[in-house]
Amino acid sequence: MLVCICHSVSDKTIKHWVRQQGVTSIRELRQLTPLGSQCGKCVRQAKEVIYDESQLI
Ligand code: FES
């Protein structure tokens, strides 16, 4: 499922970064992707994906 439509970033990709790169925040995520830099509508959902995935590690 695409989380950021503007930059084609999926939940699967975000989960990968949480697990493999230790991403814990939107700020860290934005060092890896331009997610949220256009319309910004994806930021809330991206935060939820980061939070949910980090609970599973
Ligand atoms: Fe992510 Fe627009 S959907 S910046």
Side-chain angles (χ1 to χ4, degrees):
M1 170 187 70
L2 275 182
V3 173
C4 181
I5 296 167
C6 296
H7 298 291
S8 299
V9 180
S10 69
D11 62 333
K12 189 175 173 184
T13 300
I14 295 171
K15 289 175 184 178
H16 171 80
W17 283 324
V18 170
R19 287 182 177 265
Q20 301 301 319
Q21 304 289 329
V23 166
T24 58
S25 66
I26 288 294
R27 199 174 81 170
E28 291 173 358
L29 186 60
R30 291 187 63 179
Q31 292 174 355
L32 299 166
T33 172
L35 177 143
S37 64
Q38 199 159 328
C39 73
K41 290 180 179 174
C42 54
V43 172
R44 189 170 144 213
Q45 188 177 1
K47 282 182 183 174
E48 290 176 6
V49 173
I50 292 170
Y51 178 79
D52 290 348
E53 192 65 13
S54 57
Q55 297 303 304
L56 299 174
I57 301 175

